[in-house]
Amino acid sequence: MGKRVAFVTLGCAKNEVDTAHMKEDLLQAGYTVVGSDDAADVVIVNTCSFIQDAVEESIDVILEIAREQAVIDGDTKLVVAGCLPSRYGNALGEELTEADRFVPCAQEDNIVGVLNELFDHEVESIVNGRVVVADGPSAYVKISDGCNRYCSYCTIPFIRGPYHSFSFDQIEGEVGGLIDAGVREIVLIAQDSGLWGLDLVDDGTSPTNLPLLLKRLARLHPDTWFRVMYLQPGGIDDQLLSVMEDHDNICSYLDIPLQHANAQILHSMNRSGDKAYFLERLHRIRQRLTGVALRTTVIVGYPGETEEQFEELCDFIAEAEFDYVGVFPYSPEEGTRAANMPNQVDEDTKMERFQRLRDLADQISASRIKRHVGESMEVLVLGEEEDGQLYGRCQYQAPEVDGVVYVDAGEVGDFVNVTITDTLLYEMEGEVE
């Protein structure tokens, strides 16, 4: 048995994918992956540093692990990976002397080499073929990494680097491996999924844009759901909507992070659009995709945001009637332009605006979700609660950020047809037909 490796993963779905890839590489090289509560020879903390709260959480987790007796005695090594070392570089090592190694995002592909060096040995590969880590019936697949937008408030381009698409062969290989391992839903993610393929060379055989990628995957795997997340408005064109219309296994769900609705605030964010443009785009989507579920994220308390601009955002959310809205109070991040802007909004005002918009969004969401009562829909069974209650998700619910459907029968990994009988805010209840 190889050295035992435990992972603690913080942050977004992209980090979960990166952790899965590191696990696969280590298993392939002969290491043993154990649970985070099990005894391990090394703990790898895959960190997040997108906002200050995430930085603080990452540091707290690292220090908590560093206080464990096995780490103090040197029996367990501590490796800090991901966004935190990517963002802070060499300065991190001067502050977090408890860590044995730092592995930024760009070096995670060499995790085997890092651990081999840490343990002063080279582990022989004991696995034939590609190892695939699947933790359940649903899995994320990254189709690109990095970002070129440089929104004024965002650290991602500094952490992840410039936007680059992964090849179709790489994506299809990962998708096929996950499906062979029992995955029934593939969630495609990127910092901006709509840009996928535009930087790839057209060889005449592989897809070179998101609609063609979805079309190819949906045809190759007709019994698998495909869900795409993180689409900017410009990436939702007629070609994409046509592909979604034509394939029942492409989830009728679009996640469109708009961030605000006031043109001046959006311009200050280094983004485009305004309330009228967004409403027109949403109307067009709903005309083409009947019953589509729409999600967005918005920021309140951005530097210079006036009460009138905030009210415009509230009016937009009320008129747009999104099924789901993520609301975030602005967080000033070191190294971003917005952090140095004048007219920073005080914390009390930010939190008051956050709560007002959160309450409004919850009210709208509850009303929209209640409309599903009496509908028949397909649900992917994902697991069961501690009391044995089965739950899953329908196409109108994305993992982790939306609600679930509680069902009265089925096996984990099955698709079951249910009739929705009741709702409670974001959750639904259904009876298997």
Side-chain angles (χ1 to χ4, degrees):
M1 179 179 293
K3 293 286 187 180
R4 296 160 300 175
V5 186
F7 281 86
V8 176
T9 304
L10 306 171
C12 69
K14 302 176 191 68
N15 275 7
E16 293 183 27
V17 174
D18 293 341
T19 290
H21 288 171
M22 286 190 282
K23 287 181 179 179
E24 292 163 2
D25 290 343
L26 290 167
L27 288 168
Q28 180 76 20
Y31 286 87
T32 299
V33 175
V34 298
S36 58
D37 294 329
D38 297 328
D41 298 296
V42 57
V43 176
I44 300 175
V45 184
N46 193 2
T47 58
C48 178
S49 64
F50 177 54
I51 59 176
Q52 191 59 36
D53 285 350
V55 171
E56 293 172 4
E57 180 189 15
S58 294
I59 292 173
D60 287 345
V61 169
I62 292 165
L63 294 178
E64 181 180 354
I65 294 171
R67 287 191 292 268
E68 294 181 3
Q69 195 61 48
V71 177
I72 294 171
D73 294 341
D75 297 328
T76 298
K77 305 295 185 183
L78 176 57
V79 174
V80 176
C83 297
L84 200 64
S86 294
R87 181 172 178 180
Y88 294 105
N90 294 334
L92 192 63
E94 299 172 5
E95 299 295 329
L96 283 176
T97 57
E98 296 84 355
D100 293 285
R101 292 289 188 280
F102 294 94
V103 184
C105 299
Q107 296 176 22
E108 288 176 344
D109 287 346
N110 188 39
I111 191 63
V112 172
V114 171
L115 294 201
N116 285 348
E117 179 187 291
L118 183 61
F119 292 115
D120 195 27
H121 74 292
E122 186 167 342
V123 179
E124 294 290 336
S125 174
I126 61 172
V127 182
N128 295 320
R130 181 67 181 168
V131 175
V132 174
V133 174
D135 293 328
S138 179
Y140 295 103
V141 170
K142 280 205 303 185
I143 61 175
S144 71
D145 208 351
C147 185
N148 296 334
R149 286 187 174 274
Y150 289 94
C151 295
S152 301
Y153 53 84
C154 186
T155 59
I156 292 297
F158 310 109
I159 295 171
R160 294 280 180 174
Y163 190 96
H164 56 283
S165 302
F166 300 145
S167 71
F168 171 75
D169 288 343
Q170 180 179 346
I171 295 168
E172 164 54 17
E174 186 168 354
V175 167
L178 288 166
I179 292 172
D180 289 343
V183 170
R184 307 300 305 277
E185 177 194 41
I186 300 293
V187 185
L188 303 177
I189 57 173
Q191 202 59 40
D192 185 350
S193 297
L195 294 180
W196 182 84
L198 301 184
D199 56 334
L200 298 177
V201 175
D202 188 354
D203 62 5
T205 62
S206 299
T208 52
N209 64 32
L210 179 66
L212 294 178
L213 172 66
L214 281 170
K215 183 177 181 179
R216 181 77 68 88
L217 291 174
R219 287 182 171 180
L220 286 171
H221 307 285
D223 297 324
T224 303
W225 280 359
F226 289 93
R227 185 186 304 275
V228 60
M229 302 287 287
Y230 316 129
L231 278 159
Q232 301 299 328
I236 306 172
D237 57 15
D238 287 337
Q239 185 183 18
L240 176 64
L241 297 176
S242 293
V243 169
M244 294 180 69
E245 277 183 301
D246 293 343
H247 296 85
D248 291 339
N249 61 327
I250 299 177
C251 294
S252 188
Y253 181 105
L254 288 169
D255 174 54
I256 316 168
L258 299 176
Q259 310 305 356
H260 214 280
N262 175 266
Q264 289 177 299
I265 293 292
L266 287 164
H267 179 73
S268 178
M269 289 178 168
N270 197 32
R271 299 176 65 86
S272 59
D274 58 21
K275 176 183 173 183
Y277 171 72
F278 293 155
L279 288 173
E280 185 277 328
R281 300 294 295 182
L282 297 175
H283 176 70
R284 186 175 179 184
I285 292 167
R286 283 170 167 148
Q287 277 190 316
R288 294 291 302 273
L289 300 176
T290 303
V292 65
L294 298 177
R295 161 175 275 278
T296 195
T297 54
V298 294
I299 296 172
V300 298
Y302 184 80
E305 183 190 57
T306 65
E307 182 65 23
E308 290 73 23
Q309 290 168 331
F310 171 69
E311 289 291 349
E312 183 177 357
L313 175 59
C314 292
D315 290 344
F316 167 69
I317 294 299
E319 193 168 346
E321 290 192 304
F322 287 96
D323 297 270
Y324 309 99
V325 179
V327 183
F328 298 92
Y330 167 73
S331 173
E333 297 303 316
E334 181 182 355
T336 62
R337 291 196 298 275
N340 297 317
M341 287 179 178
N343 301 317
Q344 296 283 329
V345 178
D346 66 83
E347 290 300 317
D348 288 345
T349 301
K350 275 194 279 190
M351 296 312 298
E352 187 268 339
R353 290 177 182 175
F354 163 79
Q355 194 59 58
R356 283 165 58 191
L357 189 53
R358 180 70 273 158
D359 290 344
L360 172 63
D362 286 344
Q363 180 183 353
I364 295 168
S365 293
S367 175
R368 290 194 63 81
I369 292 167
K370 199 169 188 63
R371 296 178 189 180
H372 293 300
V373 172
E375 287 185 19
S376 175
M377 59 180 64
E378 193 173 40
V379 171
L380 172 60
V381 182
L382 297 171
E384 61 181 49
E385 305 281 12
E386 291 183 1
D387 62 359
Q389 173 66 63
L390 288 167
Y391 66 90
R393 279 188 286 102
C394 64
Q395 288 201 5
Y396 304 137
Q397 297 166 315
E400 300 182 54
V401 291
D402 302 332
V404 297
V405 181
Y406 293 104
V407 296
D408 57 355
E411 299 291 333
V412 173
D414 285 350
F415 288 111
V416 294
N417 291 316
V418 306
T419 299
I420 301 302
T421 58
D422 199 4
T423 65
L424 178 62
L425 190 53
Y426 294 103
E427 317 295 348
M428 292 190 278
E429 294 181 2
E431 294 179 354
V432 175
E433 299 169 357

